[in-house]
């Protein structure tokens, strides 16, 4: 059945072997008002079979394409994304809810990532190992092969860009399974690559029932690498499936980022900065700062500044340029936030700001600051993946590091201090893949991004990211 649509939102299709395919599917909703804006096509089994065949054919062509030519096509696609920033950003805010300024930045950041990968793809060097006369050992880095990629709903453009940029720049082909809730970004990326002249089958796009798609694609012998960004539960399931079929995997999963605020910083400024960090994409970010551990001396002024600033955020439809906090992306997140708050109250926590859903239509929930929660409160242990922050006093940096490390996650962490000694202690002691000191940016195109512990393995971005898309082959040649 065709659904009512919004003309600012693209008509979504599958891309298989360079051809667009139209399929019936399910509605895509606007989280700002719960209206239907489009329809996400559901791939059939035949579509998936064709996608695997196409990606194998695409790989044969792409791996023989010179790195310089590959970079030229990939850079053209990134340039098209930049040219189309407004169209992409509006569609993203419509399907996902984030404020339009953040959507524009996400498109630019996605283009940054793709461009950096494209250029780095020309520098995937092997090495020659010194050996006795008449023998030459050469280590080659070759593209690993067709990749099955699964991207989440919270960053509809930048998350698929990491996977597409990495795979294509290393000479791999890819089947991208976009989120069924926010499929527009991946569709726009695929369109940019098509328009840039990418050979057929190098990038294939499918959407539909996630478990059917992963269950089919991962075991296929043509697929040589799995990359997934999403929840820990689904990540463990897909990692096990990949392992059963001996496929390497990149798992970029959830976190529960601690923020350590030392008593040598200005508590009021640190409170205001906390709102900036937490409100990004309404906290629906795997690296979203969540647990603030603040040295006792500045705890109260910090908490007050954080809560006051949080309460002053302008909440509304992300398309309104004045909006600072958009709706959550789906009804599940709103229900989850209400449960975290109820649990916090039942366990004696204080609600310093927010705490309850705002309106009946649209998935709005305010930035909620919870204070003095016991360590067993759900918000202290489970990733809220929404606009909830906790603040707790600590007696020392050592205690803060111990609290930061007490959960089974380790993706991002943040710290604020002007003391070189404390900064070094933090860099040594916090168990994460990414630690940011005195700011809230967890990664840029040039830096490796990923987690430890339950937050996953493998890295996206940086030269480390590209190596996952390659295999090492040693060629030893007896020449004389
Ligand atoms: P969920 O676990 O139900 O689904 C997460 C995503 O995984 C969905 O987009 C879905 O398409 C996909 N998925 C689910 N089952 C799958 C399968 N068998 N094969 C392939 N893909 C599958 O979680 P949710 O309710 O959508 O989101 C809430 C949680 O997800 C959050 O608490 C957060 O931890 C996590 N999440 C993390 C990230 C991240 O960037 N690491 C992004 C989005 C969501």
């Amino acid at each position: 059945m065709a659904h009512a649509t919004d003309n600012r939102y693209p008509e979504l299709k599958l891309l298989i072997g360079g051809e667009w395919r139209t399929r019936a599917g399910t509605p895509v909703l606007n989280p700002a008002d719960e209206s239907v804006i489009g329809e996400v096509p559901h791939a059939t089994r035949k579509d998936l079979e064709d996608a695997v065949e196409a990606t194998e054919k695409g790989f044969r062509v792409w791996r023989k394409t010179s790195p310089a030519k590959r970079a030229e096509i990939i850079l053209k696609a990134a340039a098209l994304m930049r040219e189309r920033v407004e169209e992409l950003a509006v569609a993203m805010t419509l399907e996902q809810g984030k404020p339009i300024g953040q959507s524009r930045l996400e498109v630019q950041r996605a283009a940054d990532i793709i461009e950096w990968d494209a250029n780095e793809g020309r520098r995937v060097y092997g090495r020659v190992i010194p050996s006795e006369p008449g023998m030459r050992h050469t280590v080659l880095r070759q593209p690993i092969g067709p990749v099955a990629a699964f991207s989440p709903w919270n960053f509809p453009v930048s998350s698929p860009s990491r996977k597409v940029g990495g795979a294509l720049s290393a000479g791999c082909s890819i089947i991208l399974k976009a989120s069924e809730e926010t499929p527009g970004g991946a569709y726009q990326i695929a369109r940019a690559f098509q328009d840039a002249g990418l050979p057929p089958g190098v990038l294939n796009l499918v959407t539909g029932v996630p478990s059917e798609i992963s269950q089919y694609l991962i075991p296929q012998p043509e697929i040589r690498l799995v990359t997934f960004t999403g929840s820990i539960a689904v990540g463990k399931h897909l990692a096990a499936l990949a392992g059963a079929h001996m496929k390497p995997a990149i798992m970029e999963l959830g976190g529960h980022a601690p923020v350590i605020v030392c008593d040598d910083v200005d508590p009021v400024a640190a409170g205001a900065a906390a709102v900036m960090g937490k409100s990004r994409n309404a906290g629906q970010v795997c690296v979203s700062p969540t647990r603030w551990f603040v040295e006792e001396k500045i705890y109260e002024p910090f908490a007050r500044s954080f809560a006051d600033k949080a309460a002053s955020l302008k909440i509304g439809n992300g398309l309104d340029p004045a909006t600072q906090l958009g709706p959550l992306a789906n009804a599940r997140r709103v229900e989850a936030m209400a449960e975290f708050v109820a649990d916090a109250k039942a366990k004696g926590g204080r609600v310093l700001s927010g705490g309850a859903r705002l309106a009946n239509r649209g998935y709005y929930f305010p930035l909620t600051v919870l204070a003095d929660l016991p360590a067993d409160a759900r918000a202290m242990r489970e990733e809220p993946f929404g606009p909830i922050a906790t603040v707790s006093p600590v007696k020392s940096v050592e205690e803060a590091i111990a609290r930061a490390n007490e959960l089974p996650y380790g993706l991002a962490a943040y710290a604020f201090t002007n003391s070189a000694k404390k900064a070094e202690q933090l860099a040594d002691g916090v168990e994460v893949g990414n630690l940011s000191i005195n700011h809230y940016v967890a990664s840029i195109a040039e830096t490796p991004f990923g987690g430890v512990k339950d937050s996953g393995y493998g890295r996206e971005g940086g030269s480390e990211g590209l190596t996952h898309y390659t295999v090492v082959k040693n060629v030893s040649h007896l020449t004389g």
Side-chain angles (χ1 to χ4, degrees):
M1 193 188 95
H3 299 279
T5 56
D6 186 307
N7 60 14
R8 294 165 297 177
Y9 193 73
E11 192 190 333
L12 303 170
K13 294 179 179 144
L14 310 175
L15 178 65
I16 295 170
E19 303 285 335
W20 295 106
R21 295 187 183 183
T22 306
R23 291 280 176 270
T26 44
V28 179
L29 302 184
N30 179 348
D33 59 11
E34 302 169 47
S35 63
V36 175
I37 52 172
E39 183 171 10
V40 59
H42 283 207
T44 63
R45 170 58 79 96
K46 177 78 170 62
D47 292 326
L48 298 178
E49 288 168 5
D50 292 349
V52 170
E53 195 186 322
T55 196
E56 172 63 22
K57 282 190 185 146
F59 177 57
R60 272 186 250 138
V61 172
W62 195 237
R63 69 171 307 196
K64 297 274 184 219
T65 305
S66 75
K69 181 67 189 167
R70 290 200 291 245
E72 186 189 314
I73 295 173
I74 298 169
L75 290 171
K76 188 160 177 210
L80 288 171
M81 287 169 63
R82 288 193 194 277
E83 254 176 62
R84 299 170 184 172
V85 58
E86 206 51 34
E87 188 186 343
L88 269 69
V90 168
M92 192 182 342
T93 293
L94 281 171
E95 68 179 5
Q96 202 269 339
K98 69 181 55 141
I100 186 72
Q102 292 183 28
S103 292
R104 290 189 190 109
L105 275 178
E106 182 175 335
V107 176
Q108 302 291 5
R109 185 164 172 264
D112 286 349
I113 289 168
I114 292 173
E115 287 165 358
W116 195 88
D117 280 346
N119 291 317
E120 188 67 3
R122 300 180 68 172
R123 293 187 283 265
V124 180
Y125 303 131
R127 70 190 204 279
V128 177
I129 296 173
S131 38
E132 70 264 30
M135 176 65 89
R136 170 141 311 172
H137 291 285
T138 312
V139 181
L140 304 177
R141 274 207 169 270
Q142 298 182 321
I144 192 168
V147 175
F150 302 86
S151 61
W153 48 260
N154 57 337
F155 286 103
V157 173
S158 65
S159 183
S161 293
R162 279 202 181 278
K163 300 180 190 309
V164 171
L168 268 51
S169 300
C172 299
S173 59
I174 189 168
I175 303 176
L176 172 64
K177 198 287 283 174
S179 160
E180 61 285 2
E181 290 172 305
T182 61
Y187 168 80
Q188 298 284 19
I189 292 168
R191 190 163 73 89
F193 275 91
Q194 276 287 92
D195 294 348
L198 191 73
V202 179
L203 166 58
N204 304 277
L205 175 66
V206 296
T207 41
V209 180
S211 55
E212 282 175 13
I213 298 174
S214 57
Q215 203 70 33
Y216 177 78
L217 289 184
I218 292 174
Q220 298 308 312
E222 291 85 351
I223 298 297
R224 299 298 174 84
L225 174 73
V226 176
T227 169
F228 171 77
T229 299
S231 65
I232 291 172
V234 176
K236 285 186 173 175
H237 171 69
L238 297 189
L241 187 59
H245 295 273
M246 206 50 78
K247 309 288 169 80
I250 304 166
M251 289 285 148
E252 203 275 89
L253 309 178
H256 199 311
V259 187
I260 296 168
V261 185
C262 300
D263 59 13
D264 59 88
V265 303
D266 172 357
V268 176
V275 173
M276 296 287 292
K278 186 71 221 182
S279 60
R280 177 172 167 242
N281 203 4
Q284 302 164 112
V285 186
C286 51
V287 296
S288 187
T290 294
R291 291 173 297 148
W292 272 261
F293 297 111
V294 184
E295 285 197 280
E296 274 174 349
K297 202 172 93 189
I298 60 164
Y299 176 66
E300 281 302 333
F302 169 84
R304 214 173 316 118
S305 163
F306 191 177
D308 288 351
K309 193 90 178 142
S312 74
L313 282 177
K314 182 165 178 349
I315 303 175
N317 188 319
L319 289 178
D320 178 347
T323 291
Q324 294 169 303
L325 191 75
L328 304 193
N330 55 54
R332 298 190 302 286
R333 298 292 357 114
V334 179
E335 285 152 22
M337 294 314 109
E339 285 168 17
F340 280 116
V341 174
D343 174 78
K345 284 182 180 164
K347 292 193 170 119
R350 286 189 288 150
V351 179
L352 301 187
S353 75
R357 183 178 182 166
L358 285 195
N360 292 332
R361 263 188 104 65
Y363 307 130
Y364 294 101
F365 204 93
L367 207 168
T368 297
V369 180
L370 303 171
D372 309 334
L373 298 185
D376 68 343
R378 281 188 54 204
M380 296 298 289
R381 310 204 69 79
E382 296 170 33
E383 182 182 27
F385 219 71
I388 284 188
T390 68
V391 292
S392 313
V394 286
K395 289 191 181 347
S396 64
V397 171
E398 288 77 11
E399 184 191 346
I401 293 173
R403 297 292 308 272
N405 291 344
E406 72 191 357
L407 298 186
Y409 317 106
L411 187 58
Y414 307 87
F416 289 79
T417 182
N418 294 309
S419 153
K421 183 165 178 281
K422 287 180 178 177
E424 192 183 347
Q425 255 180 301
L426 291 157
D428 275 353
V430 182
E431 296 171 351
V432 286
N434 294 76
L435 170 66
S436 305
I437 300 178
N438 294 339
H439 69 107
Y440 281 108
V441 178
S443 71
I444 57 172
E446 294 87 337
T447 55
F449 173 67
V452 297
K453 298 164 48 179
D454 270 2
S455 294
Y457 41 73
R459 293 293 180 267
E460 295 192 304
S463 44
E464 289 84 354
L466 271 198
T467 63
H468 293 294
Y469 294 95
T470 66
V471 277
V472 163
K473 183 187 286 175
N474 189 71
V475 179
S476 57
H477 185 176
L478 185 60
T479 57

